[in-house]
Amino acid sequence: MCGIVGYIGQRQAYPILIKGLHRLEYRGYDSAGIALINPAGELGVFKTKGKVADLEALVANRDVSGTVGIGHTRWATHGEPNDANAHPHYSQTKNLALIHNGIIENYAVIKNELKGHGYNFRSETDTEVLVQFIEYVKSSGNLDLFHAVQVALSQVVGAYAIAVIDKNNPDCIVAARKSSPLVIGIGEGEYFLGSDASPIIEYTDQVVYLEDEQVALISRSHGLDVRNLSDVEQTPEVKTLQLSLSQLEKGGYPHFMLKEINEQPDTLVNCISGRIDPAGTDVILSGVINNKEKFLNAKRIIMVACGTSWHAGMIGKYLIEDLCRIPVDVEYASEFRYRNPVLGKGDIVIAISQSGETADTLAAIQEARKAGAFVYGICNAVGSSIARATHSGSYIHVGPEIGVASTKAFTGQVMVLSMLALTLGKLKGTIKKGEYRDLIKDLISIPTKMKQVLLLDPLIDEMSKIFTYAHNFLYLGRGYNYPAAMEGALKLKEISYIHAEGYPAAEMKHGPIALVDAEMPVVVLATADRIYEKTVSNIQEIKARKGKVIAVVTEGDTVASSLADYVIAVPPTNERFTALVTAIPLQLLAYHIAVNKGKDVDQPRNLAKSVTVE
Ligand code: G6P
């Protein structure tokens, strides 16, 4: 949802900005731009529709010298992706240039006011309104840039992470945030800015995460000064990054998504390490143990999340109701935050988010806190806004996920939810001792099973060729396989643009079966579980209508396999954890179909990795 970078120091800013933009491209990639102040004191803005590579081509023969600059990669909210709407935006006099991630909700009112003062606009964006407004406040109030930003932002409604530079003061960058992330990297006499730490990591591991409504004056000569909107000095907490450069690179894979699919056996080992004792007899999720009373007394648990994380939440519901006997609701964060839910003390809200920055999930957390609920976060990005906004939580520890379609974060989330259910079930005494041990044994065998499933890649690649030109897909499953089917369908539609629906297998009779004909591929998750026979009946119903069935079954299966047109067999797994194993063939199928279609797998059209607008 837009990536922003910045640099001020002694080095040339351009290569740092471009490299940073490539790293942040996962956040948005419909246009890109940079602004630099060159040694002659000119403030140049270079921007274009398209990707960062298009920006590089644009500036190939231009003067991009300068030791202070800002850069942006966009995911359009206001105004279509075109050159004019790309960031940075100049102010009226072209003395200021600004980049922005977020949405200014009251931009129309401010724009009208500014028009009354003779301002005119070159783009349709809310961002241009903000930079013009800052300039107006600066000149009408005779303020310096830093104070003008404070005053302007006090009148702004919405979300922002911004960086502004001023032609008349090339010694500083002013940056601020509210509800959109912003990290400042601190080097030797130089500073870096990023929407996350990825553009910063190779220069310094010392960072400050700006808090909401903080404004930073980043000066080459005077260092870092952080204040709030009322100009009260803030003490920034300098943290040391735990990220390595190799985690941000493709490591020989053609796409980040394929790398991330293949990483899953290792990322899950990381996720369980220190939480399941080496002998495999106990699971200790410290976030649950530390809040034991709250979890034991919970009347109800509500999961709030979006996209893939919502699917993980659905699996969490099945696990917690099944193993802990606590009622669980799963809500889309965007609905929850606006629909006045019944909520109060004694409720636990579990917010699930890979990025930890999703605007709707963050707002749902705020609603939950206001209502007095205890809020627990399940995040991947350490130090993210959601991790900080929750009372307690667990990280999934799967490393940075760059591919826009979530893969290893999904299995990490399901793994943490599985450990949460086991920890809580043991505390509540709702799981029998023997079963508890068996389940732990099964859970620690998952990474090895995933490795086996990854060996099916050539088979799935072959299979994908048959379905590359399908227009629709159905994904069906019952019980734990139902949310897994929804996630499989989401993967396919996100990256191949084939319309796909995930449905409870039996519910198919109440509508989707009307779509089934010889042209319709239907992926059925028919692994060995309590309701396997019922799923087999659903396969028969599809076959009776000549649908093409791709069945994901358990090794050794005969019945579903004999009915299906194509079979993918996965190792036997306790049904509660099957989604962790079946996720892989569904991810691979989507991946290969998208590659066959020549689609941009890591950066699918219209999507973004981190959705920091509502
Ligand atoms: C976007 C991403 C999805 C992700 C969803 C929720 O739509 O493209 O991959 O599942 O946001 O993101 P979160 O970071 O909160 O898990």
Side-chain angles (χ1 to χ4, degrees), residues 200-253:
I200 298 174
I201 183 69
E202 64 205 274
Y203 311 106
T204 176
D205 63 357
Q206 298 297 292
V207 295
V208 168
Y209 292 91
L210 273 196
E211 300 288 341
D212 274 355
E213 302 198 338
Q214 286 186 340
V215 187
L217 177 64
I218 308 164
S219 156
R220 208 179 338 233
S221 47
H222 293 95
L224 180 64
D225 182 4
V226 180
R227 293 172 185 250
N228 66 13
L229 295 183
S230 316
D231 206 31
V232 177
E233 206 172 328
Q234 314 280 297
T235 314
E237 192 188 338
V238 181
K239 296 201 166 147
T240 302
L241 286 175
Q242 307 292 334
L243 190 70
S244 75
L245 203 51
S246 62
Q247 288 178 299
L248 299 172
E249 284 163 359
K250 282 189 198 150
Y253 286 95

Side-chain angles (χ1 to χ4, degrees), residues 306-309 352-358 361 386 404-406 413 494 607-611:
C306 306
T308 289
S309 300
I352 309 169
S353 172
Q354 185 284 129
S355 63
E357 300 295 345
T358 303
T361 310
I386 291 177
V404 164
S406 184
Q413 291 164 340
E494 280 179 310
L607 299 181
K609 183 80 189 150
S610 175
V611 183

